[in-house]
């Protein structure tokens, strides 16, 4: 069977439903396997008796694959096509999940990290394929709206996955176990921790089978191929650039994505550890990432409703970057406490959760601005933007080091310069079309 080929922006409205539904399913999978890290980090921290820095190797191993494998992933897609590339990406995800089984039974942190890197490799291929597809399957001025739909699926999966993981791995008696661990002798502690870590084997074995099936489903579906060698819309002065590096707004956009995704992961993946410093154990704090993701979904729904009828996607990006900076400062300085699950908890943790609201539309706003008018460089440009997702690996490690040295709350200073740069890109950086004297092109608000 010959796959149909779709040019950017040329898909009829009625013919977009199935591709968008398939992509929504893919983004759900992305979220399910990514955001479970928010509970894996404290779970591994207990099971392997790790420092903050060592625990955040979970995010480092998972997301460093985006930097290492995005360009090879783009070349793979160019060689084997969109659908076969997606299938191989799901197979890599499946293999990574399967590696959790021997890692659990040998209680070897290094094998878990290899499994996480393998899963990250699969996601790098899948994201390289999916993001440009969402961006150019319809009108560019509605790209952020489509990205918001994908984001709802992604973040809804993020709410579900830690709860599913907790249902499989945590018991109501674990609070007593965690409290008793420091007083146990070495042999008893090792026995308890061996039993604890082996609980992850079954859910990840099941996940491996499901991911294998998802890859086969996509491969033999009627999802059309896309042709990014042509692009509709206005051109920029650099449309005939010799290399992808001749597009400053793309390079600056990759930096913006690097910083944005890092702030997003910090807001979600550190909130449990932050709560633990206030006396919460893992069982009580396990739902906190869901509050951040629920705030993110709220932002996505606003984007779906308001873009572009009420506000342009560029305008939404500017508002969200400023909100992100204000909420970050509130995390650092907001006084006061409220009750949560019978315990007093700092108001700052709720501003950390609220960071999900502005973070929702930043990714959706950056992507179409950074990838617009690249023409034949669209695939390689997408790979470079996906490489920017390595911020998920680097910034949590920086936060972890700062938390070990300065304290958990002061470590959130890492967020402030990130949001300052994002404000710069939203206001000025995306307009730069030439490296010579930072030339700005007249840009219609999208």
């Amino acid at each position: 069977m010959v796959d149909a080929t779709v040019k950017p922006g040329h898909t009829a409205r009625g013919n977009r439903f199935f591709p968008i539904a398939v992509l929504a399913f893919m983004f759900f999978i992305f979220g399910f396997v990514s955001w479970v890290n928010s509970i894996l980090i404290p779970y591994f921290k207990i099971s392997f008796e790790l420092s903050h820095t060592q625990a955040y190797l979970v995010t480092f191993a998972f997301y460093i694959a985006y930097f290492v494998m995005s360009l090879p992933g783009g070349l793979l897609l160019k060689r084997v096509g969109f659908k076969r590339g997606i299938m191989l990406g799901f197979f890599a995800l499946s293999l990574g999940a399967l590696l959790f089984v021997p890692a659990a039974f040998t209680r070897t942190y290094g094998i878990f990290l290899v499994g996480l890197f393998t899963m990250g490799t699969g996601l790098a291929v899948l994201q390289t394929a999916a993001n440009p597809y969402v961006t150019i399957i319809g009108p560019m001025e509605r790209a952020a709206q489509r990205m918001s739909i994908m984001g709802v699926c992604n973040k809804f999966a993020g709410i579900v996955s830690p709860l599913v993981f907790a249902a499989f791995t945590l018991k109501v008696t674990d609070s007593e176990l965690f409290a008793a661990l420091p007083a146990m002798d070495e042999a008893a502690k090792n026995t308890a921790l061996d039993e604890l870590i082996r609980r992850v084997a079954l859910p990840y074995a099941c996940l491996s089978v499901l991911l294998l099936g998802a890859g086969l489903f996509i491969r033999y579906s009627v999802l059309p191929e896309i042709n990014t060698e042509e692009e509709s819309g206005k051109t920029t002065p650099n449309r005939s650039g010799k290399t992808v590096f001749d597009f400053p707004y793309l390079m600056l956009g990759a930096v913006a994505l690097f910083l944005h995704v890092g702030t997003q992961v910090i807001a979600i993946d550190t909130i449990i550890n932050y709560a633990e410093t206030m006396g919460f154990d893992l069982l009580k704090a396990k739902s906190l990432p869901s509050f951040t993701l629920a705030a993110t979904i709220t932002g996505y729904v606003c984007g779906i409703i308001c873009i572009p009828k009420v506000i342009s996607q560029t305008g939404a990006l500017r508002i969200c970057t400023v909100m992100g900076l204000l909420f970050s400062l509130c995390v650092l300085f907001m006084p006061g406490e409220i009750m949560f699950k019978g315990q007093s908890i700092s108001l700052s943790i709720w501003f950390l959760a609220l960071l999900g609201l502005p973070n929702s539309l930043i990714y959706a706003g950056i992507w179409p601005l950074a990838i617009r008018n690249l023409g034949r460089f669209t695939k390689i440009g997408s790979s470079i933007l996906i490489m920017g997702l390595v911020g998920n690996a680097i910034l949590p490690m920086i936060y972890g080091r700062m938390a070990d040295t300065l304290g958990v709350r002061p470590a959130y200073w890492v967020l402030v310069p990130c949001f300052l740069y994002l404000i710069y890109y939203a206001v000025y950086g995306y307009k730069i079309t030439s490296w010579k004297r930072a030339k700005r092109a007249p840009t219609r608000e999208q």
Side-chain angles (χ1 to χ4, degrees):
M1 181 179 67
V2 178
D3 294 323
T5 301
V6 177
K7 295 179 181 180
H10 291 194
T11 310
R13 181 182 297 270
N15 294 334
R16 291 179 198 146
F17 176 79
F18 181 76
I20 288 177
V22 172
L23 288 164
F25 165 74
M26 288 174 58
F27 273 83
F28 180 88
I29 296 296
F30 299 166
F32 196 90
V33 300
S34 299
W35 297 118
V36 74
N37 290 341
S38 64
I39 195 168
L40 273 181
I41 290 167
Y43 194 84
F44 285 168
K45 188 173 184 291
I46 294 169
S47 300
F48 292 101
E49 300 177 286
L50 305 173
S51 68
H52 288 295
T53 304
Q54 291 170 328
Y56 289 114
L57 283 173
V58 167
T59 53
F60 182 84
F62 190 85
Y63 290 111
I64 196 67
Y66 281 69
F67 182 78
V68 176
M69 299 305 298
S70 289
L71 284 176
L75 295 174
L76 174 70
L77 291 171
K78 189 171 184 179
R79 182 177 181 85
V80 305
F82 181 77
K83 290 168 67 174
R84 287 187 179 89
I86 289 178
M87 179 183 70
L88 294 174
F90 272 111
F91 286 176
L93 273 176
S94 176
L95 176 60
L98 190 61
L99 285 173
F100 272 48
V101 177
F105 280 98
T106 60
R107 197 170 150 227
T108 306
Y109 191 42
I111 299 177
F112 277 115
L113 296 180
V114 172
L116 287 162
F117 179 84
T118 306
M119 295 180 78
T121 297
L123 276 182
V125 175
L126 292 171
Q127 294 261 27
T128 302
N131 283 284
Y133 201 109
V134 174
T135 302
I136 63 182
I137 195 173
M140 186 62 75
E141 65 272 13
R142 291 184 177 270
Q145 186 183 61
R146 293 189 297 277
M147 279 285 189
S148 295
I149 294 171
M150 300 302 119
V152 169
C153 299
N154 182 274
K155 299 308 184 291
F156 176 72
I159 292 174
V160 171
S161 60
L163 301 178
V164 171
F165 180 88
F168 272 97
T169 59
L170 296 177
K171 302 177 181 178
V172 293
T173 57
D174 281 342
S175 293
E176 291 79 8
L177 171 64
F178 299 153
L181 282 172
M184 291 182 182
D185 62 62
E186 199 64 25
K189 182 188 292 185
N190 283 332
T191 299
L193 294 180
D194 285 345
E195 189 276 331
L196 185 66
I197 199 63
R198 285 173 185 169
R199 297 179 195 173
V200 308
L202 178 61
Y204 271 86
C206 296
L207 180 62
S208 177
V209 174
L210 292 174
L211 291 169
L212 183 67
L216 293 172
F217 166 75
I218 296 292
R219 172 64 186 90
Y220 294 104
S221 71
V222 295
L223 187 70
E225 293 283 356
I226 56 173
N227 176 13
T228 57
E229 301 305 313
E230 298 183 34
E231 185 178 21
S232 60
K234 295 182 179 180
T235 61
T236 66
N238 273 339
R239 179 66 183 270
S240 60
K242 295 181 180 179
T243 74
V244 72
F245 299 105
D246 291 332
F247 299 87
Y249 59 85
L250 170 66
M251 299 297 125
L252 296 173
V255 175
L257 279 180
F258 174 92
L259 298 174
H260 160 62
V261 297
T263 64
Q264 183 172 239
V265 168
I266 287 172
I268 295 170
D269 286 358
T270 69
I271 195 167
I272 291 178
N273 279 337
Y274 187 27
E276 287 178 332
T277 66
M278 302 170 198
F280 283 77
D281 62 29
L282 183 55
L283 269 75
K284 288 185 177 180
K286 69 177 187 285
S287 61
L288 285 172
S290 298
F291 288 98
T292 310
L293 291 163
T296 306
I297 289 177
T298 302
Y300 281 132
V301 171
C302 292
I304 294 168
I305 295 171
C306 297
I307 297 173
K309 292 181 180 179
V310 177
I311 188 172
S312 69
Q313 56 194 13
T314 306
L317 175 62
R318 291 169 181 167
I319 291 171
C320 287
T321 54
V322 173
M323 283 177 60
L325 177 61
L326 293 176
F327 287 173
S328 298
L329 293 172
C330 288
V331 171
L332 289 164
F333 299 114
M334 179 62 68
E337 297 182 344
I338 59 173
M339 297 301 292
F340 177 72
K341 294 189 176 182
Q343 287 183 242
S344 180
I345 188 169
S346 171
L347 275 173
S348 66
I349 204 166
W350 296 112
F351 281 100
L352 185 61
L354 280 173
L355 272 175
L357 182 61
N359 272 332
S360 60
L361 297 180
I362 293 178
Y363 186 96
I366 292 171
W367 191 276
L369 293 178
I371 207 169
R372 72 188 191 277
N373 300 324
L374 296 185
R376 67 184 185 276
F377 296 115
T378 299
K379 285 182 179 177
I380 190 69
S382 173
S383 296
I384 289 173
L385 289 176
I386 293 298
M387 288 176 69
L389 301 189
V390 74
N392 286 320
I394 304 299
L395 288 179
M397 290 295 294
I398 294 173
Y399 170 85
R401 174 62 67 181
M402 292 174 68
D404 283 335
T405 56
L406 303 177
V408 173
R409 186 171 183 177
Y412 288 113
W413 269 108
V414 71
L415 298 174
V416 174
C418 296
F419 280 108
L420 286 173
Y421 178 88
L422 290 169
I423 292 170
Y424 159 77
Y425 185 78
V427 173
Y428 179 82
Y430 80 94
K431 299 177 182 178
I432 301 174
T433 58
S434 173
W435 294 114
K436 297 178 180 178
R437 298 182 181 178
K439 182 179 178 181
R440 294 169 56 186
T443 308
R444 179 171 59 89
E445 292 289 292
Q446 294 182 331

